[in-house]
Amino acid sequence: MSTNGAVIAIDHLQVEYRSRELGQETKVAVRDLSLNVQPGQVFGFLGPNGAGKTTTMNVLLGFVNPSAGSASIFGVDVRQPIARQRIGYLPELTYYYKFLTAEELLRFYAKIFKIPKAETEKRIDSILKLVELEHARKRQIKTYSKGMQQRAGLAQALINDPDLLILDEPTSGLDPLGRMKVRDIIKRLKSEGKTVFFSSHELGEVETICDRVAILHQGELKIEGSVQDLIKQHNTRLEAIFLKLVGYEEAA
Amino acid sequence: MVLLLVWCFGVGSRLWTEQIAGERISARPSVLKSLLGDSRRLFANHFFIKADEYFHAGYYPSIFDQAATDKKGAASAATTGAVTGDSHAGEVEWMNKPHDWIERFSRNFFPSDHVHLDTMDDDHGHDDHEHDHDHGHSHGHSHGHGHATDGHDGASGGSMVREILPWLRISAELDPNRVETYLTGSYWLRKRMNRTAEAKEFIRDGLRANPRSYELTFELARIYHEHHEDTGRARNLFNLALRYWNDSQRLAEEPDNFMLAQILVQLATLERIQGNPDRALELYQELRKVSPFPESIDRLISDTREGKPPTALR
Amino acid sequence: MNGNNILAISSIVIKELYRRKDFYVLFILTVLITVLAGSANFFNDPRIVGWLKELSLTLIWLSSLVIAINTAARQIPAERESRTIFPLLAKPVTRADVMAGKFLGCWLACGIALLVFYLFFGIVVSAKGGRLFTGDLVLAVWLHWMLLGMVIALSLWGSLLFTSVAANVTICFVIVVGLLFIGFHLGKVARQQPEPFQTIVMIVYNILPQFGFFDTRQMLIHGSHLKIVPVLLATLYAWAYTAFFLTGGWLAFRRRALN
Ligand SMILES: Nc1ncnc2c1ncn2[C@@H]1O[C@H](COP(=O)(O)OP(=O)(O)OP(=O)(O)O)[C@@H](O)[C@H]1O
Ligand SMILES: [Mg+2]
């Protein structure tokens, strides 16, 4: 597998969670995973609950150290902080600093990326408009609803105008309109030439916006390929492929 | 957080006490008692020591130093003045040559000059009442120890004496049965601050809590004698003190003979002034039995027989 | 480490402190108690100020320790609990940046709080006509602030060692107050011990941070003067311990899994 030019390159990655209690065996969350994401792709990272999606993303962001194998982003090992300069990340579950307003939150992250002041304000305006939080920009985040917090999360992931977005279930907790909005945003990012790597349980939505998908089950990669190829190959919808891969046999 | 609460609680109840004390409501001891329980004695002792610390302008041994230098019991040596008079030895010794760099360096951060507030007048001698007032009772700033501290002016000494007083007041509120608190307070008030009225009031507070204290009665008598020139009233009070002493000490295993001698000397002098030499002689005979210096009493007796006027005791 | 990141993170800490109520509550409590106490009447002498100084300084010290320990101990656990640490570390930010930023923020915030507290103290004392030497007050506040630096670094470290914030706060408070009270006296205790305990206690005595160097309350109360050279030496001493605690905290943080 060639890693040349890949935005995300995962090579024989193994992640184990060692349990603190004695007698408990170590849990292998990701098993020998190799995966490449090419620039400009929208890549759907699928798998049932507990498959190891979040764990893989945690490795990509340097939160978790792999027990074997390696991963790099833009050719830089994920253990280097500089690898994260061009990333936007939306975590699975987060409450942002509750005592800050959306505006202040974005300003804080902009400061970390050393974005000049004038540019910061311009970006904040446009991003808040994009995620439809303009009306609440001066309110502390603790007054936000769950969906609003999710949008604030999306906004912070976009503040540095990243070339790669890693989104962990970006549409969870959003209403149908909100989901459509997020899909639009992802499409727009793709049209701007950005790479998007995201996990989701919404297979219909994955089908409509993804170029490629990978399906993970119990830490192992089951299938990887372009959405169109897979559908053609199996001659069925993504959902059916998914269910078959994870061992669910439809009563026939 | 818990500690802070405890502290606030302590302070709060103290303040409250202050206010109630200001309004002179007599119910306050029970209030305090129920609030603090037996720990109020501990607090009272703490604040009594605090007063002594202020007397030394912050130059004060911690309990660790006291344990190291005074084998007889830390707090008593520092605050109450040991009867044997060697508390002073402990007092100067606790801060001798530093043992290590930490000790040496730490002295830059707390008052480390041995200063007393009591050097305004020359009290290094052993003149009668200075000596006896402190020696047996109340506070350890015993003038009788005769340490010559120098280098501070009377004015600052006077202004700092006043800072001792709140601690004594608080201590008295917390433990109203501790007689020496009142005695010490009264001493500073009348001797240094010229606040005889307040001193009298404080002693009266003490008597309210300890109605049959011969020491407090004695102190009150002295106030009438020395500050009000009210010989008659003073005589009655000295007599009362004598009676209280008899009530409580006569049958005690180790009677407070020292205090008895004080009462007798004062009372005898007053009797002489009032023209009752016979009563005075009676008292002197009594005194002779308990005095460590019977010869000097003999001199007083012969003076009285010859009808000489008594030398001023003040 | 990256100065830009450290400053950005510290500014968040400061913002949090002044948006939370802790500081105001403690300050108002201190003011209230001091003012109430100031109106107490002792033997009709309005010029008595020493005990008020004592009370006010004790309250200031307690408040400052509570603020410092609570603020510092909460920082990293709160980041982990609300999972804000993830988006933060997903930026080009290292854990050393987080550690240093949190420390700086807490320290500056506590410095601001100290200024407010001591300003009030100065006002109270001068209103009562008490003596106060500005130079000594400045040095005393400085030393107090240096102490808080050590305390904050210690609590940050503790927050990475203990799982519960409450446990860490309690332990730090006990350690700090305990060292303030007995730190200087361990030497005497040591000298009374038989060997080998004497050597052991002596080593502990020399290694432990002597927080007592920074407590100059008695100097302020009794009008003694602080000298500049010892203050500077004590400052270096404080920085050495602060750096040590921060390094310890950073090592603990680095090894710690995030989820
Ligand atoms: N901190 C941890 N300690 C031990 N085991 C963990 C830890 N985090 C995750 N795991 C285990 O690793 C496996 C993968 O978890 P992961 O969170 O990556 O799943 P996921 O694919 O994101 O699932 P979901 O769709 O529910 O978000 C799970 O079996 C989980 O129990
Ligand atoms: Mg997940």
Side-chain angles (χ1 to χ4, degrees):
Chain A
M1 204 183 276
S2 140
T3 60
N4 266 351
V7 175
I8 296 176
I10 298 172
D11 189 26
H12 297 289
L13 185 76
Q14 181 104 359
V15 183
E16 290 161 10
Y17 288 111
R18 242 165 297 256
S19 156
R20 286 249 179 98
E21 290 110 75
L22 281 168
Q24 293 262 336
E25 47 195 285
T26 57
K27 162 96 201 161
V28 182
V30 176
R31 203 185 297 268
D32 197 28
L33 175 70
S34 295
L35 199 69
N36 281 346
V37 178
Q38 299 299 329
Q41 285 180 346
V42 174
F43 197 104
F45 198 42
L46 314 178
N49 291 136
K53 305 182 295 289
T54 301
T55 303
T56 308
M57 290 185 172
N58 283 347
V59 170
L60 292 178
L61 292 154
F63 302 154
V64 170
N65 289 330
S67 23
S70 66
S72 62
I73 287 175
F74 298 113
V76 181
D77 190 284
V78 292
R79 275 174 260 212
Q80 309 278 327
I82 193 69
R84 303 192 284 274
Q85 181 70 31
R86 290 158 68 195
I87 299 181
Y89 169 58
L90 174 69
E92 190 169 25
L93 299 162
T94 314
Y95 318 92
Y96 295 88
Y97 301 99
K98 292 180 177 91
F99 51 90
L100 294 183
T101 66
E103 226 172 49
E104 286 168 333
L105 182 79
L106 294 179
R107 237 174 250 141
F108 165 57
Y109 289 129
K111 210 161 141 196
I112 283 175
F113 285 110
K114 301 200 180 96
I115 302 169
K117 271 225 159 63
E119 173 70 16
T120 299
E121 294 307 315
K122 245 178 30 208
R123 278 196 205 174
I124 289 176
D125 286 347
S126 70
I127 290 171
L128 287 178
K129 202 178 214 164
L130 187 67
V131 301
E132 297 186 332
L133 278 178
E134 262 192 317
H135 62 287
R137 62 186 287 170
K138 287 189 194 306
R139 266 162 54 191
Q140 289 188 26
I141 292 173
K142 65 180 165 207
T143 67
Y144 284 13
S145 75
K146 186 179 169 204
M148 286 165 85
Q149 289 194 18
Q150 184 78 359
R151 288 178 221 205
L154 199 57
Q156 65 80 30
L158 294 171
I159 188 68
N160 56 330
D161 193 17
D163 296 322
L164 167 64
L165 278 132
I166 298 178
L167 311 174
D168 203 346
E169 298 184 29
T171 52
S172 79
L174 294 183
D175 59 28
L177 198 68
R179 281 181 203 182
M180 203 182 72
K181 273 272 161 200
V182 170
R183 285 201 292 272
D184 284 350
I185 291 171
I186 291 175
K187 279 183 195 152
R188 211 176 112 172
L189 292 167
K190 179 184 156 67
S191 73
E192 287 169 16
K194 320 251 175 204
T195 312
V196 180
F197 181 73
F198 79 103
S199 72
S200 179
H201 294 296
E202 295 292 321
L203 296 179
E205 134 191 326
V206 170
E207 225 176 271
T208 58
I209 56 173
C210 285
D211 303 317
R212 287 180 82 82
V213 292
I215 298 178
L216 213 59
H217 182 43
Q218 290 177 348
E220 285 175 57
L221 183 65
K222 290 291 177 191
I223 204 165
E224 198 239 318
S226 97
V227 178
Q228 269 132 35
D229 289 354
L230 287 175
I231 291 176
K232 229 179 269 168
Q233 232 170 311
H234 293 79
N235 198 19
T236 175
R237 284 168 47 228
L238 201 54
E239 187 167 355
I241 305 173
F242 179 93
L243 289 174
K244 202 172 144 208
L245 279 172
V246 303
Y248 179 83
E249 297 290 341
E250 265 173 298
Chain B
M1 263 313 194
V2 172
L3 273 167
L4 186 82
L5 276 179
V6 170
W7 168 259
C8 289
F9 176 68
V11 169
S13 56
R14 255 163 63 195
L15 286 173
W16 194 24
T17 319
E18 268 332 296
Q19 281 174 349
I20 298 169
E23 291 156 22
R24 301 255 163 264
I25 293 172
S26 55
R28 69 187 178 240
S30 61
V31 172
L32 256 188
K33 208 170 183 169
S34 59
L35 272 176
L36 288 173
D38 278 345
S39 68
R40 80 189 202 286
R41 286 245 163 68
L42 274 174
F43 282 114
N45 191 45
H46 172 77
F47 291 122
F48 191 76
I49 292 174
K50 198 92 209 164
D52 202 27
E53 197 178 305
Y54 269 61
F55 171 75
H56 289 93
Y59 175 90
Y60 206 76
S62 72
I63 48 169
F64 295 94
D65 301 302
Q66 289 167 8
T69 53
D70 187 284
K71 302 280 181 288
K72 280 179 312 204
S76 75
T79 56
T80 62
V83 180
T84 48
D86 60 1
S87 72
H88 180 63
E91 198 177 282
V92 284
E93 265 168 26
W94 78 266
M95 197 185 269
N96 42 24
K97 267 186 69 180
H99 289 96
D100 49 54
W101 71 274
I102 293 176
E103 263 184 51
R104 181 172 311 123
F105 191 49
S106 72
R107 290 181 191 182
N108 291 302
F109 305 104
F110 60 85
S112 50
D113 295 322
H114 194 172
V115 172
H116 277 194
L117 303 181
D118 60 346
T119 44
M120 288 160 68
D121 45 20
D122 66 314
D123 49 14
H124 310 307
H126 294 76
D127 87 277
D128 228 6
H129 80 263
E130 285 290 17
H131 185 72
D132 60 49
H133 176 91
D134 297 316
H135 208 138
H137 299 279
S138 62
H139 49 80
H141 334 126
S142 307
H143 310 235
H145 296 331
H147 38 274
T149 44
D150 47 23
H152 47 283
D153 55 309
S156 87
S159 72
M160 283 164 89
V161 162
R162 112 173 5 107
E163 306 295 353
I164 297 176
L165 300 171
W167 303 110
L168 293 174
R169 165 62 96 190
I170 293 167
S171 180
E173 296 297 338
L174 287 168
D175 185 0
N177 296 327
R178 184 172 179 153
V179 168
E180 59 197 312
T181 314
Y182 303 100
L183 297 175
T184 314
S186 163
Y187 171 81
W188 291 113
L189 278 166
R190 62 192 185 89
K191 288 283 183 190
R192 287 304 148 73
M193 309 279 303
N194 285 324
R195 288 182 172 267
T196 318
E198 281 80 9
K200 208 161 69 184
E201 197 49 51
F202 197 35
I203 291 294
R204 287 236 159 87
D205 282 347
L207 277 169
R208 234 165 269 143
N210 312 277
R212 302 180 70 79
S213 159
Y214 58 90
E215 287 153 303
L216 290 173
T217 315
F218 174 75
E219 177 72 10
L220 191 61
R222 280 180 56 157
I223 295 174
Y224 276 107
H225 176 37
E226 294 172 23
H227 297 277
H228 294 310
E229 316 288 343
D230 187 346
T231 325
R233 190 141 187 200
R235 199 186 63 167
N236 289 342
L237 283 166
F238 279 127
N239 270 316
L240 198 60
L242 189 58
R243 209 173 80 210
Y244 289 157
W245 189 94
N246 278 325
D247 290 351
S248 66
Q249 298 289 307
R250 183 62 74 194
L251 297 173
E253 241 167 65
E254 278 184 63
D256 183 1
N257 283 333
F258 182 82
M259 205 50 214
L260 175 63
Q262 298 316 305
I263 300 172
L264 291 171
V265 165
Q266 297 276 345
L267 188 53
T269 310
L270 283 191
E271 295 291 1
R272 282 165 72 187
I273 292 171
Q274 297 227 315
N276 298 322
D278 295 341
R279 172 77 177 138
L281 284 173
E282 251 175 61
L283 295 167
Y284 281 140
Q285 292 302 341
E286 190 92 355
L287 176 60
R288 208 175 170 287
K289 288 182 219 156
V290 295
S291 171
F293 309 107
E295 314 82 47
S296 60
I297 310 298
D298 287 338
R299 209 167 55 241
L300 285 172
I301 291 176
S302 62
D303 283 356
T304 313
R305 292 226 166 89
E306 288 161 25
K308 279 190 195 165
T311 44
L313 276 170
R314 232 173 305 164
Chain C
M1 275 203 273
N2 180 322
N4 171 63
N5 290 351
I6 295 171
L7 278 180
I9 294 167
S10 70
S11 71
I12 294 291
V13 177
I14 295 172
K15 226 174 227 154
E16 184 189 6
L17 190 76
Y18 76 68
R19 288 198 180 157
R20 284 176 63 104
K21 313 233 160 24
D22 312 24
F23 167 75
Y24 303 101
V25 169
L26 285 171
F27 182 66
I28 289 168
L29 213 64
T30 303
V31 169
L32 226 69
I33 292 173
T34 311
V35 168
L36 261 176
S39 63
N41 173 19
F42 289 105
F43 305 109
N44 306 319
D45 189 337
R47 281 181 298 172
I48 291 173
V49 71
W51 88 287
L52 202 62
K53 281 191 195 173
E54 182 106 27
L55 173 71
S56 170
L57 283 177
T58 307
L59 288 172
I60 290 174
W61 269 74
L62 269 173
S63 306
S64 74
L65 289 181
V66 168
I67 293 173
I69 292 174
N70 263 319
T71 311
R74 219 181 36 230
Q75 289 305 324
I76 292 170
E79 289 270 356
R80 290 160 54 104
E81 198 163 305
S82 65
R83 308 173 72 90
T84 45
I85 192 79
F86 292 104
L88 182 58
L89 285 179
K91 312 275 184 288
V93 169
T94 62
R95 295 190 189 192
D97 292 343
V98 175
M99 199 72 197
K102 292 292 182 188
F103 168 75
L104 188 69
C106 291
W107 199 38
L108 290 176
C110 285
I112 297 166
L114 272 191
L115 286 181
V116 175
F117 272 111
Y118 276 102
L119 190 72
F120 166 73
F121 174 74
I123 291 171
V124 165
V125 173
S126 25
K128 272 281 199 173
R131 292 183 305 167
L132 208 56
F133 303 102
T134 318
D136 289 318
L137 188 61
V138 169
L139 290 181
V141 177
W142 173 263
L143 284 176
H144 192 164
W145 191 39
M146 295 302 124
L147 172 88
L148 291 187
M150 289 189 282
V151 170
I152 289 165
L154 183 71
S155 328
L156 279 175
W157 188 5
S159 72
L160 290 155
L161 297 181
F162 305 107
T163 34
S164 125
V165 177
N168 180 33
V169 166
T170 313
I171 289 168
C172 285
F173 209 89
V174 168
I175 288 177
V176 172
V177 174
L179 280 179
L180 273 172
F181 273 113
I182 65 159
F184 288 159
H185 308 297
L186 274 177
K188 291 175 201 100
V189 173
R191 276 183 283 276
Q192 288 164 3
Q193 304 292 321
E195 288 293 357
F197 303 108
Q198 178 162 359
T199 317
I200 295 169
V201 179
M202 215 60 204
I203 289 170
V204 169
Y205 168 63
N206 278 279
I207 285 178
L208 284 180
Q210 292 292 347
F211 290 158
F213 293 152
F214 305 87
D215 178 4
T216 56
R217 280 178 292 162
Q218 294 304 317
M219 300 290 261
L220 285 186
I221 291 167
H222 298 290
S224 306
H225 297 293
L226 283 161
K227 292 189 279 296
I228 190 89
V229 173
V231 169
L232 289 179
L233 288 174
T235 304
L236 293 178
Y237 180 87
W239 287 350
Y241 275 98
T242 306
F244 171 73
F245 293 148
L246 284 178
T247 310
W250 172 65
L251 288 175
F253 194 20
R254 216 175 48 154
R255 266 181 314 177
R256 185 120 198 190
L258 280 179
N259 47 349

